[in-house]
Structures are given as structure tokens and as C-alpha cells.
């Protein structure tokens, strides 16, 4: 019986420690990436704005328009709703909310340069749950995500 009680106390302490660590982690993380694409800004914008075709070049299940924007269903079954605050040839600003419990914003600056367009992306993700913050740090790197997105965007735009 003593072993059982001490085991339960140990498990409780581990859970409390995990929650404390989660509370101490910042709720918001940021990822940045930049790439030059051999195409004019209006073509880069057109490919980004054509959200219905993104499953052809990104790891997405489906994408559908809504009254306020669109949603993506990931291949894992997660739904992410997007609202565009700005979609112009020099700036894109999106807000998103996931049914997995996080939200954030995605911004891109498009700058004409010799030979194409330089696109600089910033993604900020906020995870309110302490346990979610730990899981996000273990399973998701926003800089890697932004870098991968831009590589796929570059390939898609340049094949057109």
C-alpha cells in the first residue's frame, strides 16, 4: 500500500512539474523565413491567394472558402480557419485559428528585386495551454514550417 501511495505522489509531482514548466514557457512563438522567387510579386500573390489549389503543392487534405475567408483541413484532420486582413502585391496579412487550440498570424512582405520577388514571412503562433506549449515545442518549429512553405511556394510559382 505504501508503494502505491508513493507512486501516486510521484506521478502527481511529475504532472505538477510539467504544468509549471508549461506555464513558464512563453505562449507565443515566432518563425521567420525569406526566399527570392523568380517571378513578379503579382504572380507570387496569385499563387498564395489561390487557396483552393494549395493541396496540389502543400501537405493539405482539403481547402474550402468560407464567408469570412477559408479553412484548411490538414492531412492529420486538423481544421485551421483563416481570415485575410490584407492581400496586396506588397503585403499579405492573415489571422488563423486551429481546432487544436492555438491561433496566430501570418505576414508576408513581397519586394520586387532583380530577377523576381523577395518574400519575407513571419508566423506567430500562440498556444494558451501549458501542456500545449510543451507539445508545440516538441513537435512544431515555426521557422522550419515557414522555410518549408517558402520552398514549396517557390517551386509552384516557378513552374508556372
Amino acid at each position: 500500500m505504501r508503494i502505491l501511495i508513493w507512486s501516486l505522489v510521484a506521478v502527481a509531482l511529475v504532472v505538477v512539474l510539467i504544468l509549471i514548466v508549461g506555464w513558464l514557457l512563453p505562449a507565443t512563438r515566432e518563425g521567420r523565413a525569406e526566399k527570392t522567387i523568380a517571378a513578379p510579386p503579382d504572380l507570387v500573390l496569385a499563387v498564395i491567394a489561390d487557396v483552393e489549389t494549395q493541396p496540389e503543392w502543400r501537405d493539405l487534405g482539403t481547402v474550402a472558402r468560407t464567408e469570412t475567408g477559408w479553412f484548411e483541413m490538414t492531412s492529420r484532420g486538423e481544421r485551421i480557419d483563416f481570415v485575410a486582413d490584407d492581400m496586396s502585391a506588397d503585403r499579405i496579412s492573415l489571422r488563423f485559428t486551429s481546432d487544436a487550440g492555438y491561433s496566430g498570424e501570418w505576414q508576408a512582405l513581397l519586394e520586387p528585386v532583380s530577377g523576381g520577388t523577395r518574400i519575407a514571412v513571419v508566423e506567430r503562433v500562440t498556444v494558451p495551454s501549458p501542456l500545449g506549449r510543451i507539445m508545440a515545442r516538441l513537435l512544431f518549429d515555426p521557422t522550419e514550417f515557414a522555410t518549408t512553405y517558402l520552398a514549396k511556394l517557390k517551386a509552384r510559382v516557378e513552374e508556372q
Side-chain angles (χ1 to χ4, degrees):
M1 185 66 162
R2 278 183 135 175
I3 293 174
L4 178 62
I5 291 172
W6 282 110
S7 296
L8 291 174
V9 167
V11 168
L13 287 174
V14 167
V15 168
V16 168
L17 181 63
I18 289 171
L19 290 174
I20 289 171
V21 168
W23 277 112
L24 293 174
L25 291 172
T28 301
R29 293 176 66 202
E30 184 177 282
R32 294 177 178 265
E34 187 175 304
K35 190 161 281 296
T36 299
I37 299 174
D42 58 335
L43 180 56
V44 175
L45 173 64
V47 171
I48 293 170
D50 187 9
V51 295
E52 290 91 351
T53 64
Q54 287 194 16
E56 296 173 11
W57 57 276
R58 293 182 55 213
D59 184 24
L60 292 175
T62 59
V63 176
R65 295 269 179 191
T66 65
E67 289 181 19
T68 58
W70 69 93
F71 72 86
E72 298 175 353
M73 286 297 275
T74 68
S75 55
R76 299 178 316 274
E78 174 188 351
R79 179 181 167 133
I80 307 170
D81 290 281
F82 288 86
V83 174
D85 293 326
D86 188 2
M87 278 271 213
S88 61
D90 63 343
R91 177 180 161 81
I92 302 168
S93 181
L94 310 173
R95 289 177 286 123
F96 58 89
T97 305
S98 168
D99 65 2
Y102 63 87
S103 62
E105 57 187 32
W106 187 89
Q107 297 177 340
L109 297 176
L110 290 83
E111 176 187 356
V113 295
S114 176
T117 302
R118 180 180 2 221
I119 180 169
V121 171
V122 177
E123 181 165 347
R124 289 180 192 88
V125 180
T126 301
V127 181
S129 160
L131 184 57
R133 293 176 200 172
I134 292 171
M135 296 303 293
R137 276 169 178 68
L138 294 173
L139 302 175
F140 180 73
D141 178 355
T143 297
E144 181 182 323
F145 181 81
T147 301
T148 300
Y149 174 85
L150 288 182
K152 290 179 179 181
L153 175 66
K154 178 180 174 69
R156 177 65 173 206
V157 170
E158 292 178 355
E159 78 182 13
Q160 299 201 357

